[in-house]
Amino acid sequence: MTKELNKKQTLGRFDIVGEIAVDSKVFAIGSKGKNNQAWISNVFNPRVDGVNGASMFVRMQDGYDEVKGKTLYLKTVNDESMEIKFGDRFNPILVEKVNERSFVKVFTKRVEKINEESGNKFMAWEEPQKFLTVFDAINFLQTVMPLASKHKVRMTGDVRYSTYNGKLQRNFELKNFYILTNNEEEGKEMPLGFNFTQNIIVMKDAVKKDRFESEGVATIDTKLYVRKAKDQYEILDLPLTVRATEDNKDTYRKMLEKYFTVDGDTVRRVNVEGVFQVGYVSGSIDENDLPQNALELIEDGFYSKEEVLKMFLKKERVDETLLRRPIVKMSEGIPTGIDKSDEDYTMEDIQAAMKEVSTEETIKIGESSISTDSLLEELGGL
């Protein structure tokens, strides 16, 4: 018997600002599938560089079947469901019926405009290029990001997770793409960063603080409630890392205990923000760690101690999902508390989604009082 659970997925968003150097591996246009030669895809797979050695690949791809075609599932301007065949995606009669939120948008440059009343000039984005598919957006990006060019960009969209060979994978679904190079006003440049927001689930014993007091590091074993296929849902594990300093350790300790520690069969949903901490980070080394030949360089006076320490500084590859803080829920512009709930999911929901779906049965899966002043005060330091 089919069980109707009617639960929402725990969805996430990404907001990535970084620099891209376009090489021959960034774009793959019109590639045929390895297992299905009729499948034609476009791939955008740039390495995005951030600050202090941070870098990550943000892979996006989309395609269609030359024989079977493809159906696009969209929303109308009246927020109703609509379907468009892939071959009809440029039909203006159909396109004008599509809700703005269903488009993938590429913002390419700014133009100078004049305020008619004051005569003052200011910068404003041009109307974006709009596409119904990431496939066409990638085609366009290749024309404005030629080989050997460099760009500062901002990408936003949905981040979804899946597993491949037992490993968790991030999947980026593009919604907005901004080319920032030469398009930012002086003094108002966007900082580089790999930011995200994500609804997560925590249960009993999710927080691990073995290294928190000594190193300021804690981990949270969070769960994601995601759609695996039509009418099929699964639970994925998304470990989050907390890294505190001596200055904010008390704030993080309070955050972990107050919002991510639950008892019994409580299943808590929390909306959080964080950073994809990916790339090479420098370790630490002092003079006592240097080998004898390095010390001799300093003693001989040919190199300073700082120069030698930099030579022996090791860099480590990291890839972790770093938690910054829970997100404040707003109502009519007023904060009402942390965006969390102990009512959205039950232990039965989690157990049902964790069961393997057989071929004979499909499983359908469809606050405490907080002072605003104290809430914003304790979150302000995160």
Side-chain angles (χ1 to χ4, degrees):
M1 178 179 178
T2 299
K3 185 177 181 180
E4 194 79 39
L5 293 180
N6 296 318
K7 297 293 178 179
K8 292 183 179 180
Q9 296 188 80
T10 48
L11 301 178
R13 300 272 298 172
F14 68 90
D15 189 340
I16 294 174
V17 180
E19 296 174 341
I20 296 174
V22 182
D23 59 23
S24 60
K25 298 179 181 179
V26 169
F27 291 98
I29 305 297
S31 302
K32 291 183 177 292
K34 294 181 179 180
N35 300 320
N36 177 11
Q37 289 291 299
W39 182 258
I40 307 300
S41 66
N42 285 345
V43 178
F44 179 55
N45 188 33
R47 192 188 82 172
V48 184
D49 293 322
V51 296
N52 298 325
S55 67
M56 66 184 298
F57 284 92
V58 182
R59 181 182 177 87
M60 304 169 187
Q61 64 180 15
D62 191 19
Y64 69 98
D65 193 298
E66 286 184 304
V67 177
K68 299 178 181 179
K70 181 179 178 179
T71 300
L72 307 180
Y73 299 94
L74 310 165
K75 290 289 186 179
T76 69
V77 291
N78 297 321
D79 213 28
E80 299 173 344
S81 297
M82 70 178 296
E83 298 179 8
I84 296 179
K85 295 298 182 184
F86 187 83
D88 294 330
R89 67 194 187 281
F90 297 122
N91 186 321
I93 297 176
L94 297 175
V95 171
E96 69 179 7
K97 298 178 180 179
V98 177
N99 192 304
E100 279 293 309
R101 296 194 304 273
S102 291
F103 288 98
V104 180
K105 300 176 182 178
V106 180
F107 299 80
T108 56
K109 62 180 180 180
R110 292 179 184 236
V111 294
E112 195 173 71
K113 295 191 176 183
I114 300 177
N115 185 302
E116 294 181 359
E117 295 182 0
S118 65
N120 294 331
K121 295 180 179 180
F122 64 96
M123 303 296 288
W125 285 105
E126 283 188 307
E127 284 296 313
Q129 298 287 329
K130 300 193 299 185
F131 307 94
L132 291 182
T133 67
V134 172
F135 181 90
D136 295 311
I138 293 174
N139 263 335
F140 178 75
L141 286 175
Q142 191 191 35
T143 68
V144 296
M145 300 176 66
L147 190 65
S149 63
K150 295 183 179 180
H151 305 272
K152 180 182 178 183
V153 306
R154 180 189 181 193
M155 297 174 283
T156 67
D158 298 326
V159 57
R160 301 182 187 273
Y161 290 88
S162 60
T163 54
Y164 181 73
N165 288 338
K167 293 184 178 181
L168 191 70
Q169 287 192 320
R170 302 186 193 104
N171 305 296
F172 298 98
E173 298 181 1
L174 182 67
K175 295 302 294 182
N176 298 290
F177 191 101
Y178 302 82
I179 295 183
L180 302 177
T181 308
N182 301 322
N183 294 328
E184 295 180 289
E185 294 184 43
E186 186 175 352
K188 296 182 179 180
E189 296 85 358
M190 292 196 70
L192 305 184
F194 305 156
N195 302 306
F196 72 86
T197 61
Q198 178 71 50
N199 262 304
I200 53 93
I201 290 173
V202 292
M203 296 182 290
K204 184 180 179 181
D205 298 328
V207 178
K208 305 293 189 296
K209 295 190 293 185
D210 298 347
R211 300 165 54 198
F212 188 73
E213 297 305 327
S214 59
E215 302 176 43
V217 178
T219 59
I220 309 175
D221 297 333
T222 78
K223 308 290 184 184
L224 302 180
Y225 197 84
V226 301
R227 181 180 289 113
K228 183 178 182 180
K230 184 178 179 181
D231 297 332
Q232 295 182 20
Y233 289 71
E234 66 179 340
I235 301 297
L236 299 179
D237 295 317
L238 176 65
L240 298 182
T241 302
V242 170
R243 292 189 177 274
T245 65
E246 288 302 320
D247 291 336
N248 61 23
K249 185 180 285 187
D250 287 342
T251 303
Y252 271 111
R253 184 186 294 108
K254 185 186 299 184
M255 180 192 75
L256 291 170
E257 293 173 355
K258 190 170 185 178
Y259 300 112
F260 299 95
T261 302
V262 299
D263 297 319
D265 288 340
T266 299
V267 178
R268 176 172 296 170
R269 176 197 60 79
V270 189
N271 199 10
V272 303
E273 66 178 51
V275 177
F276 298 122
Q277 186 89 335
V278 185
Y280 287 92
V281 297
S282 298
S284 60
I285 187 172
D286 60 33
E287 191 172 355
N288 295 326
D289 298 321
L290 293 174
Q292 184 59 39
N293 62 332
L295 294 173
E296 290 176 0
L297 290 175
I298 298 174
E299 292 171 1
D300 291 341
F302 298 121
Y303 293 88
S304 68
K305 182 174 71 174
E306 290 72 22
E307 288 175 317
V308 174
L309 287 172
K310 186 177 294 185
M311 293 178 191
F312 284 84
L313 198 63
K314 294 182 179 180
K315 291 190 174 183
E316 300 177 83
R317 178 72 179 175
V318 298
D319 187 349
E320 60 187 12
T321 309
L322 200 63
L323 171 67
R324 289 189 66 235
R325 57 188 175 185
I327 293 175
V328 174
K329 190 173 184 178
M330 308 292 288
S331 176
E332 298 181 352
I334 304 298
T336 60
I338 291 297
D339 184 3
K340 69 180 183 66
S341 173
D342 292 350
E343 311 299 329
D344 291 353
Y345 302 91
T346 66
M347 189 61 70
E348 288 73 21
D349 297 332
I350 303 302
Q351 291 171 347
M354 292 178 70
K355 291 180 180 179
E356 184 177 355
V357 181
S358 71
T359 57
E360 298 178 354
E361 178 180 4
T362 299
I363 299 178
K364 264 190 181 177
I365 312 198
E367 181 134 349
S368 58
S369 175
I370 304 175
S371 162
T372 298
D373 291 337
S374 62
L375 172 70
L376 296 179
E377 182 180 352
E378 71 182 70
L379 293 180
L382 297 183

